[in-house]
Amino acid sequence: MPLDGLGYLKILAPPEKVLRWIEGKLNLLGRLPHYVSIDQKTYGRYGVLPTTSGPSLPGAEASLLLLRRDPRILKAPPYVSLLLILIGLTSLFLLPLDYYSRHTYISENALLPGQVHTYFGGSEQNIFNAYKHEVQAVAGKEQHEISNKLEEIFNSAGLKAARQKYQFEAAGNRYTGENVYSILHAPRGDATEAIVLIAAWTNMDGELNQSGCALVLTLARYFKRWSLWSKDIIILITSDSKAGPQAWADAYHNEHSVPAVEPLPMKSGALQGVVVVDNALNHRFESLHIVYDGINGQLPNLDLFNTATAIASGQMGISVVLQRMWKHGDSYRERLQTMLRGMVSQGLGHASGPHSCFIPYHVDAITLQAVGDGWQDEMAMGRCVESTFRSLNNLLEKFHQSFFFYLLMQANRFVSIGTYLPSAMLVAVNFSIMAIALWIRSGRSTVPTIGSKKKNEEKEPEMEVIRQDGMVAIAPKHRLVIVERELFLPITLVVASHFLGVIPLYIFNHASQSAFSRTFIIFAQANMLLPSFLAALLSYQSPLSTQQRLLLQCFSLLLLGMFLATLATLNFSLAFLIGLLAAPLSFVGQPYSTTSYENPASGGKVRKLLMTIVLQLLSPPAVMLAACKAWDVRVEDVLVEAAFGWTAHGLWTQVVVWCIWWPAWTVGSVVCSPLL
Amino acid sequence: MVLDRRKIGLFGAAAVLRLVLFVAFPSLPKLLAGRVEISTPITSFKRLQEGLFLYTHNVSPYDGGIFHQAPLLLPLFGLIPTAAFAPLTSLLYILLDLLSAEALAQIADSGESRQTRLYKSPRRDLSWDGATVGAAYLFNPLTIAACLGRPTSLFTNCALLYAIAKACERRAFMAMVALGLASYLSLYPALFLPPLIILCFDARYKTGNQVPSVLSFALTHTIAFLGSIACFLLESFLLTGGSWEFISSTYGVHLLLPDLTPNVGLWWYFFIEMFDSFREFFLGVFWLHLGGYVGGLCVRLRTQPLFVITTLLGLCAIFKPYPSISDTALYLSLLPCYRHIFPLMRYTFFALATLLYASLLGPAFYYLWIYAGSGNANFFYAITLVWSLGLSVIVSDSLFAVLRDEWEVERPEMKGKDVRQI
């Protein structure tokens, strides 16, 4: 015993006599037996809790028990849910404030962005101009002529070139092309790591990327002369911005679909970073637009973005813009707009540039796009790329230090996941809370209660006297009875509705482009009538009981909440947007008044009608139509893009829409349908 | 023997569902076989194939340290012609599931859960028949996923269920042999020996004829159990070419946890984080913790040995060294035999919702950790903690419900009143 040595401290203890006196004065022994009264009959397995036998708390325990069953508590969940949604929404709008967002910073010390002197310039300018002429000369020609020309340029720079043909088919369209690439072997490396420099022949808007391609070719020739590279450099020219990079990234990781996509004849080590150069301008540019969204809302490591930003704005003095916010005055409004644009882009999860295809392979990638009319020339852009590559060259291990989950609101301000995740989680939790509330209510018997005054006058509801440890409370009996729940039908219906989502998913991923607009119109119309049809079908044999309706909604909301909470960890923006659009589903169904134990079919017709209209306006096809109107794009194009994303990029935004949101919407609409 | 038409329909539907999944989604079994939630180092189907390859090429399957499963599985799978290996193994596993469901149906129909020798539940009228209990097992998504993932733990589960079924049927010797097989395959079922002997003893007592003394009964059955294990071990010894090497690479791995591949349990993370000098001590503590439940539960729930087994299964699914969802499925499949205590359980919805949450978030966090690289091991471990929490809530809640059921026999006036434990 280590405390033995402290025995001398006993002198500090009060004498026994004093203790006895205090004990007697406070009547401790007299109180003790009451404190815990062990139930003799059950040999102490169950005891009964504190009975301070004073007059102070008569029935406090029992009334606490009853509080759980108080109708006011049962009425609370919708308000709590609403509050959570509002808090979630508000906290999102607070994010752009200085207090919540942070300045970006370089987390990985090895990067040392902007610490090297860049030498790209001078006579390279002439080479660039020559290459630009070559590019312009073959523009618009057959693919093999372009490839031949590119290969020739690579060879003339002393680099061995390789080609890869690919073909994707989606929505009846065929996407074909050929990638040409070359590997610059590191003089100081062992070919276990590589960084990639890409230019797509046509950029995301379909314009010829003339300066970008010429710049990349010039840089290839320039990099070849340096002996300081410790990682292989892969220079890749893809023939388009969406299919080509995907085919190359797939084939590099042996995940390509044979024979539509050819395997790569040459490979290097693990990819550490990707920089895409996009400069379709034929004049000097003003600022660099950094695009960073990946497929399915995945983002590259923030360090890569910060490196590029630090080099461009700090070293080269080129302003950096993001999310197509060409003018950014650092006001709250502009920050918010940038963030919201980023969220929409992330939520859609589509490819926003050639770099997007690399991010699912855990390769951090960004696109540098030259925009505006200013005084920066291509050489400055080249120096940016050079400096970025020097930083990437310094990396000792894969990007891991900084954030993978962030929302940017300006080139040098961001919020990290810990700050923004709660808002999506609160929206998701609101569904879970409603599910729990509905579950509890479904366990109550449906005997009419205080609310129905007429019956109340005729006969008092049956009361039950609760006696507990000498305390008495009276409660209406039906509030204490938990009825058995019939779970089978609601569970089957909810699960079936989620599997039903496979049908639209299949249709919209496999129909051909020409049929898209017609299919969509037909589907949207059928979708409007679907809830009424299902409701009629369900009540055809015998109408659903109140309990079954409650449980139907309960399970649907439970699943929705769970899916959205999970999704929020993978793609925050999508979870948040769908959570908001589905928020009214929490409030459909029974009115939450004290009369709720009554048959809900009798009242609230107006409310039901109102809810139906709201839900119809927020149905997935309606939202899609509205969004297309707002952004002025054709529905058909969106569907084609989505179908291509599904086949080529492995996009699962549509899975979320059709197998999570749409089923929840259907069940919610059925529950509030007047026909049920 | 009269065949129940409803049962045939349900079992047939379950078999067809599995066949459809095997045939229509040929990549699904491979995907599931690679999931850490289903395949653990000691049950993985991939590792079994590796062992099988070595075995058929006359190399000791335990060379290379990948294969940690019982040797008797090898000749069994060796019998399957390699030309049709995949379809025939799927059929084998479907059959295994049906056999387990049949055993469950027997357990449920025996009524042992509602009425034992020493105890009659006041709620015994409320029950599900064997076909329903079997169907609850067969249509459990966890069972289906486990069947598609083909871990060898399903053999253990089947043997264990047969041991219980035979014990309820008063065929004590068969029960001991089946338990011997289960223990031989996975070691941990040996923990079930005491409650199973009690179950056999009660069953024998019910028949009335020549009741033996408790001590001699326990002794003879323990000997039968040990004898059957000895037989299996001897067979394995002969099969593996006269070497006892397999003991250390099967049971040694179960006991000492050298392979720290993540799984849904609680051990791997602890032992990754632990300093090596404490390893032996904590291995002892963890095993002692798992074993400690046996004695306590057997004493406290002497009157309901089947429930002791059920609860122990739940505890094993949480605290075992290499648990997988097939263990959870086994526990959840025995609970429906206790349909009559469901109204007394308090947190079913919350616990099941927790399990659902965990089963969605678990794969998502595993993805973030392993594939996307944006998460880390703590993400996945946090979710396995939640999973274990959900399971332990179910275990303790069902335990509460059974005790409450017992209590109401002693104190009928307390029926329907709230109690609290202190």
Side-chain angles (χ1 to χ4, degrees):
Chain A
M1 287 294 283
L3 290 178
D4 276 351
L6 299 178
Y8 61 86
L9 283 180
K10 266 186 187 162
I11 51 156
L12 297 176
E16 188 77 13
K17 231 178 192 172
V18 179
L19 285 178
R20 288 258 174 271
W21 182 77
I22 295 173
E23 215 171 78
K25 278 291 158 204
L26 293 176
N27 191 21
L28 282 181
L29 282 175
R31 281 158 191 269
L32 198 64
H34 294 276
Y35 206 73
V36 178
S37 77
I38 303 291
D39 194 345
Q40 293 298 316
K41 199 170 176 187
T42 54
Y43 313 101
R45 276 199 302 280
Y46 287 98
V48 189
L49 263 182
T51 64
T52 30
S53 48
S56 53
L57 293 163
E61 278 296 314
S63 59
L64 198 68
L65 271 173
L66 278 180
L67 193 65
R68 284 199 310 200
R69 287 150 178 167
D70 193 298
R72 277 166 299 186
I73 296 269
L74 284 179
K75 263 167 66 179
Y79 299 106
V80 176
S81 272
L82 190 66
L83 192 70
L84 288 183
I85 295 174
L86 290 179
I87 293 175
L89 203 58
T90 319
S91 67
L92 189 81
F93 281 97
L94 291 179
L95 292 179
L97 296 177
D98 279 342
Y99 185 76
Y100 296 95
S101 56
R102 280 195 271 171
H103 255 284
T104 53
Y105 56 95
I106 303 283
S107 193
E108 171 68 86
N109 288 323
L111 280 169
L112 298 171
Q115 301 292 306
V116 292
H117 193 81
T118 53
Y119 299 94
F120 187 70
S123 63
E124 305 296 333
Q125 174 91 55
N126 302 328
I127 293 164
F128 169 77
N129 287 337
Y131 283 166
K132 195 168 169 185
H133 279 124
E134 298 272 20
V135 168
Q136 281 164 341
V138 289
K141 295 234 170 98
E142 289 287 313
Q143 180 62 48
H144 71 269
E145 279 185 58
I146 298 174
S147 299
N148 286 342
K149 176 54 76 185
L150 290 172
E151 195 166 345
E152 190 193 314
I153 295 175
F154 276 128
N155 287 338
S156 72
L159 292 163
K160 190 169 175 282
R163 303 182 185 196
Q164 182 210 18
K165 277 202 172 68
Y166 62 85
Q167 177 179 330
F168 288 104
E169 267 181 72
N173 295 336
R174 195 168 279 189
Y175 303 82
T176 55
E178 192 172 31
N179 298 324
V180 184
Y181 69 100
S182 174
I183 298 174
L184 195 167
H185 290 289
R188 299 180 171 205
D190 49 2
T192 52
E193 292 176 338
I195 37 187
V196 191
L197 179 62
I198 301 180
W201 192 258
T202 54
N203 71 4
M204 280 308 274
D205 306 323
E207 296 159 359
L208 177 68
N209 184 15
Q210 38 181 342
S211 302
C213 287
L215 187 61
V216 163
L217 292 169
T218 320
L219 281 168
R221 189 174 179 280
Y222 171 75
F223 285 164
K224 179 88 169 68
R225 303 212 309 259
W226 285 95
S227 62
L228 47 76
W229 302 115
S230 61
K231 295 177 173 55
D232 284 2
I233 297 177
I234 302 176
I235 297 108
L236 168 66
I237 311 270
T238 60
S239 53
D240 69 356
S241 281
K242 280 195 299 182
Q246 186 67 44
W248 195 86
D250 285 348
Y252 198 88
H253 298 94
N254 285 332
E255 293 281 323
H256 57 296
S257 54
V258 262
V261 176
E262 285 181 352
L264 296 182
M266 306 193 288
K267 276 189 197 175
S268 176
L271 304 184
Q272 303 293 308
V274 175
V275 176
V276 182
V277 178
D278 176 359
N279 186 355
L281 307 174
N282 209 2
H283 51 76
R284 291 172 176 241
F285 66 94
E286 186 194 0
S287 45
L288 271 186
H289 179 215
I290 301 185
V291 193
Y292 56 91
D293 307 282
I295 310 266
N296 289 328
Q298 266 181 287
L299 302 174
N301 194 295
L302 191 56
D303 262 345
L304 179 61
F305 177 86
N306 287 343
T307 306
T309 313
I311 288 169
S313 56
Q315 195 182 10
M316 305 295 159
I318 309 174
S319 63
V320 170
V321 292
L322 45 142
Q323 301 296 352
R324 300 181 172 272
M325 291 289 291
W326 310 135
K327 289 274 169 286
H328 203 304
D330 199 15
S331 68
Y332 169 81
R333 207 191 137 92
E334 279 155 325
R335 282 184 185 178
L336 183 70
Q337 205 178 350
T338 316
M339 190 185 79
L340 291 180
R341 282 187 187 191
M343 281 180 65
V344 169
S345 172
Q346 192 188 18
L348 292 175
H350 65 307
S352 57
H355 68 279
S356 298
C357 314
F358 288 87
I359 296 176
Y361 288 106
H362 190 17
V363 177
D364 301 291
I366 49 169
T367 294
L368 304 177
Q369 188 183 19
V371 292
D373 197 354
W375 50 273
Q376 306 286 354
D377 68 347
E378 296 87 357
M379 289 297 115
M381 192 171 187
R383 279 194 294 278
C384 267
V385 175
E386 183 194 358
S387 190
T388 310
F389 266 58
R390 292 287 299 273
S391 283
L392 288 175
N393 192 42
N394 287 344
L395 273 184
L396 297 174
E397 44 185 324
K398 226 171 184 150
F399 279 112
H400 65 281
Q401 282 271 9
S402 192
F403 297 90
F404 281 99
F405 300 100
Y406 50 85
L407 291 176
L408 284 163
M409 43 204 52
Q410 202 191 340
N412 58 6
R413 274 206 103 76
F414 78 109
V415 274
S416 70
I417 183 163
T419 318
Y420 69 71
L421 191 67
S423 54
M425 282 301 180
L426 285 178
V427 173
V429 161
N430 112 73
F431 297 116
S432 301
I433 285 189
M434 282 312 291
I436 292 169
L438 285 164
W439 171 263
I440 292 172
R441 269 162 42 101
S442 70
R444 310 269 166 227
S445 56
T446 47
V447 182
T449 180
I450 324 147
S452 50
K453 278 184 183 157
K454 269 187 190 169
K455 283 178 195 164
N456 225 20
E457 280 163 22
E458 282 163 18
K459 118 181 149 179
E460 284 286 311
E462 205 177 336
M463 291 305 224
E464 171 97 2
V465 180
I466 300 172
R467 264 180 241 272
Q468 189 170 2
D469 332 325
M471 293 169 293
V472 184
I474 298 177
K477 194 172 191 178
H478 64 86
R479 275 207 228 149
L480 296 175
V481 180
I482 303 270
V483 292
E484 282 281 319
R485 298 173 175 92
E486 295 153 32
L487 301 173
F488 186 71
L489 187 70
I491 288 183
T492 318
L493 284 176
V494 169
V495 172
S497 77
H498 280 270
F499 277 106
L500 210 64
V502 176
I503 295 171
L505 182 68
Y506 183 85
I507 292 173
F508 288 114
N509 283 331
H510 292 88
S512 75
Q513 183 175 6
S514 54
F516 263 151
S517 20
R518 221 171 334 123
T519 319
F520 185 77
I521 298 292
I522 295 172
F523 179 80
Q525 282 167 349
N527 191 50
M528 271 174 78
L529 301 176
L530 183 73
S532 312
F533 172 72
L534 285 179
L537 197 71
L538 279 178
S539 47
Y540 177 67
Q541 279 274 308
S542 58
L544 289 183
S545 67
T546 311
Q547 190 200 51
Q548 280 172 331
R549 256 178 265 189
L550 288 168
L551 287 174
L552 191 64
Q553 207 192 344
C554 162
F555 292 132
S556 178
L557 289 180
L558 183 71
L559 276 186
L560 182 64
M562 256 181 244
F563 280 131
L564 289 183
T566 308
L567 186 62
T569 64
L570 300 170
N571 186 347
F572 161 81
S573 307
L574 185 59
F576 185 78
L577 294 175
I578 290 199
L580 277 191
L581 289 169
L585 293 177
S586 281
F587 310 104
V588 301
Q590 335 273 300
Y592 296 88
S593 63
T594 36
T595 60
S596 59
Y597 303 112
E598 274 183 83
N599 186 5
S602 60
K605 271 256 155 61
V606 182
R607 193 175 172 284
K608 274 192 164 183
L609 206 67
L610 208 68
M611 270 331 281
T612 310
I613 293 170
V614 170
L615 283 185
Q616 283 293 350
L617 287 177
L618 287 177
S619 76
V623 168
M624 196 170 146
L625 269 177
C628 287
K629 265 269 174 324
W631 279 300
D632 200 24
V633 285
R634 290 192 309 162
V635 176
E636 191 186 313
D637 295 340
V638 175
L639 289 172
V640 168
E641 172 94 19
F644 176 76
W646 170 261
T647 31
H649 296 149
L651 185 69
W652 38 254
T653 309
Q654 48 263 68
V655 181
V656 175
V657 170
W658 295 124
C659 297
I660 295 175
W661 181 20
W662 185 69
W665 176 86
T666 311
V667 172
S669 309
V670 167
V671 167
C672 83
S673 167
L675 288 176
L676 190 71
Chain B
M1 186 175 149
V2 188
L3 282 172
D4 182 359
R5 192 173 285 175
R6 184 162 151 264
K7 193 158 145 188
I8 293 174
L10 283 170
F11 281 30
V16 168
L17 174 69
R18 284 163 169 72
L19 263 183
V20 166
L21 286 172
F22 269 120
V23 174
F25 304 99
S27 59
L28 194 61
K30 208 178 151 207
L31 172 83
L32 289 176
R35 297 294 316 182
V36 288
E37 295 90 342
I38 296 171
S39 295
T40 62
I42 54 164
T43 61
S44 161
F45 185 67
K46 276 186 180 169
R47 288 172 188 251
L48 177 74
Q49 281 172 304
E50 172 76 17
L52 196 61
F53 181 84
L54 293 176
Y55 174 72
T56 48
H57 286 76
N58 281 328
V59 181
S60 165
Y62 298 101
D63 278 358
I66 288 201
F67 183 64
H68 304 302
Q69 297 164 37
L72 276 186
L73 290 168
L74 293 171
L76 174 70
F77 280 91
L79 282 178
I80 301 172
T82 36
F85 188 74
L88 286 177
T89 40
S90 349
L91 285 181
L92 176 69
Y93 273 92
I94 294 174
L95 192 70
L96 207 60
D97 259 11
L98 292 181
L99 282 175
S100 305
E102 174 57 30
L104 265 172
Q106 284 174 12
I107 296 169
D109 284 334
S110 73
E112 182 66 32
S113 58
R114 302 180 296 277
Q115 187 170 1
T116 64
R117 175 171 75 95
L118 300 168
Y119 178 71
K120 251 188 200 171
S121 169
R123 295 180 170 77
R124 60 185 171 280
D125 301 332
L126 191 62
S127 73
W128 278 333
D129 64 337
T132 314
V133 174
Y137 170 73
L138 286 173
F139 289 101
N140 184 343
L142 297 180
T143 318
I144 296 174
C147 177
L148 292 176
R150 294 161 296 167
T152 47
S153 55
L154 293 183
F155 287 92
T156 316
N157 290 359
C158 190
L160 203 51
L161 284 173
Y162 261 88
I164 302 167
K166 292 296 164 203
C168 294
E169 268 180 36
R170 286 157 226 164
R171 293 167 68 178
F173 182 71
M174 291 289 286
M176 288 303 133
V177 174
L179 186 71
L181 178 62
S183 313
Y184 161 78
L185 288 173
S186 297
L187 192 66
Y188 83 94
L191 291 175
F192 296 86
L193 182 66
L196 205 69
I197 287 180
I198 297 176
L199 189 61
C200 291
F201 182 77
D202 282 2
R204 169 74 70 83
Y205 211 98
K206 260 194 208 163
T207 55
N209 47 357
Q210 45 163 1
V211 181
S213 83
V214 181
L215 200 66
S216 71
F217 186 88
L219 212 61
T220 46
H221 283 79
T222 312
I223 289 169
F225 169 72
L226 292 176
S228 67
I229 288 188
C231 284
F232 289 125
L233 288 180
L234 198 65
E235 240 172 289
S236 314
F237 173 70
L238 297 174
L239 266 172
T240 51
S243 122
W244 290 109
E245 190 197 358
F246 71 92
I247 300 267
S248 65
S249 38
T250 51
Y251 307 117
V253 172
H254 289 250
L255 281 171
L256 302 175
L257 205 83
D259 191 325
L260 295 175
T261 316
N263 55 47
V264 291
L266 304 168
W267 291 48
W268 63 274
Y269 193 85
F270 264 102
F271 284 93
I272 283 176
E273 297 287 321
M274 196 170 289
F275 291 119
D276 274 348
S277 46
F278 293 111
R279 206 181 145 84
E280 285 75 23
F281 171 70
F282 276 103
L283 272 175
V285 169
F286 273 51
W287 271 111
L288 198 66
H289 168 245
L290 189 55
Y293 287 108
V294 179
L297 284 172
C298 282
V299 171
R300 178 60 190 86
L301 291 168
R302 164 67 188 90
T303 53
Q304 302 192 56
L306 183 59
F307 192 73
V308 175
I309 295 174
T310 311
T311 305
L312 272 181
L313 276 174
L315 291 167
C316 281
I318 306 168
F319 297 120
K320 209 169 90 133
Y322 292 106
S324 75
I325 60 165
S326 66
D327 299 305
T328 314
L330 180 64
Y331 170 61
L332 294 180
S333 68
L334 267 172
L335 269 189
C337 299
Y338 285 87
R339 171 70 183 90
H340 57 284
I341 61 153
F342 282 7
L344 293 173
M345 288 174 70
R346 299 163 298 176
Y347 309 118
T348 31
F349 181 73
F350 298 96
L352 288 176
T354 311
L355 286 189
L356 272 175
Y357 254 104
S359 53
L360 283 177
L361 280 170
F365 281 177
Y366 189 75
Y367 166 82
L368 284 182
W369 171 27
I370 298 291
Y371 298 103
S374 39
N376 56 34
N378 300 333
F379 282 50
F380 184 65
Y381 184 63
I383 285 305
T384 62
L385 280 181
V386 174
W387 171 263
S388 304
L389 177 77
L391 268 181
S392 53
V393 167
I394 295 184
V395 169
S396 53
D397 200 21
S398 63
L399 195 60
F400 165 83
V402 160
L403 290 177
R404 165 94 208 207
D405 192 53
E406 270 187 8
W407 188 57
E408 282 179 8
V409 174
E410 291 165 17
R411 310 255 321 246
E413 77 278 7
M414 290 305 280
K415 217 167 184 172
K417 307 265 168 65
D418 269 323
V419 288
R420 260 167 305 152
Q421 244 169 326
I422 56 165

